[in-house]
Amino acid sequence: MKLILMIIFILGGLFFFSVGTIGILRFPDLLTRVHSAAKCDTLGALLCLAALMVYSGFSFVSFKLLLVMIFLWITNPTATHLISKAAFIKEEKNKKLME
């Protein structure tokens, strides 16, 4: 049962990493690429870390992995938001200069 759960989490994580990578390569502009990378990387990393937590069992290592998951869950969307906001502001400044 433990092995099956780990395989499901790892395959789910790899699926989301793959979808995010395809999104980065296929989407036309920065904002859509950042959106794809943020959503899929966060979920893929969380699923892979969940698989590692299942592998290690109920221990101090799984507690550390949980802290890493919480850290990723908070920082990844925040960093993506800041990158997107900076790109949007830069684009608006360029539009004003062109007018």
Side-chain angles (χ1 to χ4, degrees):
M1 182 67 183
K2 185 176 172 181
L3 183 64
I4 294 171
L5 198 59
M6 284 174 31
I7 289 172
I8 290 172
F9 282 147
I10 288 289
L11 289 178
L14 291 177
F15 171 76
F16 282 107
F17 278 133
S18 301
V19 169
T21 303
I22 291 170
I24 289 171
L25 295 175
R26 299 285 306 225
F27 283 141
D29 60 348
L30 177 74
L31 295 178
T32 54
R33 288 179 181 166
V34 168
H35 176 77
S36 169
K39 300 291 181 186
C40 294
D41 278 354
T42 303
L43 190 56
L46 292 180
L47 286 173
C48 289
L49 289 172
L52 291 174
M53 284 177 66
V54 170
Y55 177 74
S56 67
F58 191 71
S59 65
F60 189 66
V61 173
S62 62
F63 178 70
K64 288 180 183 178
L65 289 171
L66 180 67
L67 291 178
V68 170
M69 288 173 70
I70 292 170
F71 179 76
L72 279 177
W73 201 351
I74 293 170
T75 57
N76 201 1
T78 304
T80 303
H81 174 75
L82 290 176
I83 291 169
S84 302
K85 189 174 179 179
F88 181 76
I89 289 171
K90 182 180 177 184
E91 188 175 310
E92 290 297 316
K93 283 183 181 178
N94 286 341
K95 282 182 183 177
K96 285 182 182 178
L97 289 176
M98 298 296 273
E99 293 176 351

